[in-house]
Amino acid sequence: MKKYILLFCTAFVLFSCQEEKKAEKEIKDEPIIEKEVEQKKELTPAEQFAANIQSAHQTSDFKSQEAVQFQLDLMFGGKQRMEAKITMLTNSSKIKIEKEDGTVLMYDNEKVSLFPEENNYDGARFDMFTWTYFFALPFKLTDPGTNWQDLNEGNLNETTYDTAKLTFGDNIGDAPDDWYVIYSDKQTKLMKAAAYIVTFGKDTATAEENPHAIVYDNYFSVSNVAFAKDWSFYNWSEEEGIYGEPIGSAKISNLKFLETEDGFFKAPKESVEIKK
């Protein structure tokens, strides 16, 4: 009898150990799922101002497209400043400007090139980045390196708009010392204007002696994205806002989204690099 009891106890202990090991294995094999807690940065009022503009312009729809192409007709000082077809990736990493006189400017995310070399001119690099930046500005307000402050109100032509100041971190673009005062419509949140200085080729103090402003008018939409058909340029001061007669104007036409072929933004071998 004792023998059977001993065998039973031994079997029970072995069975219990096996079940315990099995349970332990199941626990070890079970994947550990950690709850991910989404960390959302709380926006300052000025940062929210910028986010509202981007939302009004349907920036997510804009950036979902590969490239955008449009005709730019630009006048400054009563003279034709540029007449060109511009094609650019929506993240601005590659740009092609085809001017009416046959000059082609190319940016391949590394360098600026011009073709043909004999058409090289002062201000080519400025042309490459300035006008395309004004075009894409409503979609770039929260890019890395952008800083926002001074949420306020400002008047343009007796209409009050929300405003905030945009500055940039070190080594952002060709002119990190540039700054902008952005105006947005209180109702639609669309960008109305941008006061700015141009430090490309000059120091900040000199640039701040003559700030300008670009005013955006006559909005239209393509694929749900808002663009301004007409631009006007003025002198600007913090006290007066825009003043005087327009010093320049531009028209946007033939705008469309598209996909580009391989090599579209590759500069020809005969082109010359534009470094400044």
Side-chain angles (χ1 to χ4, degrees), residues 10-244:
T10 302
F12 179 78
V13 170
L14 288 173
F15 176 78
S16 298
C17 289
Q18 289 175 352
E19 288 297 308
E20 184 176 346
K21 288 181 179 180
K22 181 180 178 182
E24 183 181 357
K25 184 176 185 302
E26 288 176 350
I27 291 173
K28 287 182 178 180
D29 289 347
E30 184 179 352
I32 299 174
I33 301 175
E34 297 181 358
K35 293 183 178 179
E36 296 183 1
V37 179
E38 187 176 357
Q39 301 280 345
K40 285 191 175 180
K41 175 188 172 185
E42 185 175 349
L43 300 180
T44 66
E47 290 170 338
Q48 187 61 59
F49 163 88
N52 290 343
I53 294 174
Q54 292 207 148
S55 178
H57 283 265
Q58 302 296 335
T59 296
S60 59
D61 288 342
F62 178 79
K63 291 184 175 180
S64 71
Q65 303 281 349
E66 179 195 329
V68 60
Q69 185 179 88
F70 57 95
Q71 180 75 20
L72 174 67
D73 295 313
L74 176 68
M75 301 287 293
F76 242 94
K79 297 180 180 181
Q80 187 83 43
R81 181 70 172 82
M82 180 184 289
E83 188 176 2
K85 180 172 69 175
I86 298 176
T87 309
M88 57 190 292
L89 297 186
T90 56
N91 64 9
S92 299
S93 63
K94 294 183 179 182
I95 305 169
K96 184 175 185 178
I97 299 178
E98 301 170 90
K99 300 178 70 175
E100 288 295 317
D101 66 0
T103 304
V104 180
L105 292 168
M106 310 281 285
Y107 174 59
D108 63 0
N109 202 30
E110 292 183 0
K111 63 182 181 180
V112 176
S113 302
L114 181 146
F115 175 86
E117 183 176 357
E118 57 267 26
N119 284 11
N120 194 6
Y121 64 99
D122 291 338
R125 190 177 179 96
F126 177 86
D127 281 347
M128 169 59 76
F129 294 119
T130 302
W131 317 117
T132 53
Y133 189 78
F134 283 146
F135 170 81
L137 184 55
F139 314 106
K140 299 180 68 62
L141 300 180
T142 60
D143 279 2
T146 54
N147 303 311
W148 286 92
Q149 63 271 341
D150 300 340
L151 182 65
N152 211 323
E153 290 185 337
N155 292 322
L156 294 176
N157 296 329
E158 300 181 353
T159 301
T160 302
Y161 297 90
D162 292 323
T163 69
K165 188 172 186 178
L166 169 63
T167 58
F168 303 91
D170 295 338
N171 302 316
I172 301 298
D174 271 13
D177 294 325
D178 285 0
W179 52 253
Y180 292 80
V181 176
I182 304 297
Y183 292 70
S184 83
D185 188 280
K186 284 181 170 290
Q187 300 301 318
T188 67
K189 306 303 182 185
L190 293 172
M191 183 182 293
K192 177 60 179 178
Y196 62 93
I197 61 169
V198 176
T199 60
F200 185 83
K202 65 185 77 170
D203 60 71
T204 303
T206 302
E208 288 182 336
E209 293 175 358
N210 189 27
H212 294 155
I214 176 174
V215 178
Y216 297 94
D217 284 310
N218 297 325
Y219 273 96
F220 65 100
S221 64
V222 175
S223 298
N224 204 40
V225 182
F227 300 96
K229 179 181 179 181
D230 296 304
W231 305 352
S232 300
F233 296 88
Y234 292 86
N235 289 307
W236 178 91
S237 71
E238 188 173 353
E239 297 75 25
E240 298 182 67
I242 61 174
Y243 62 91

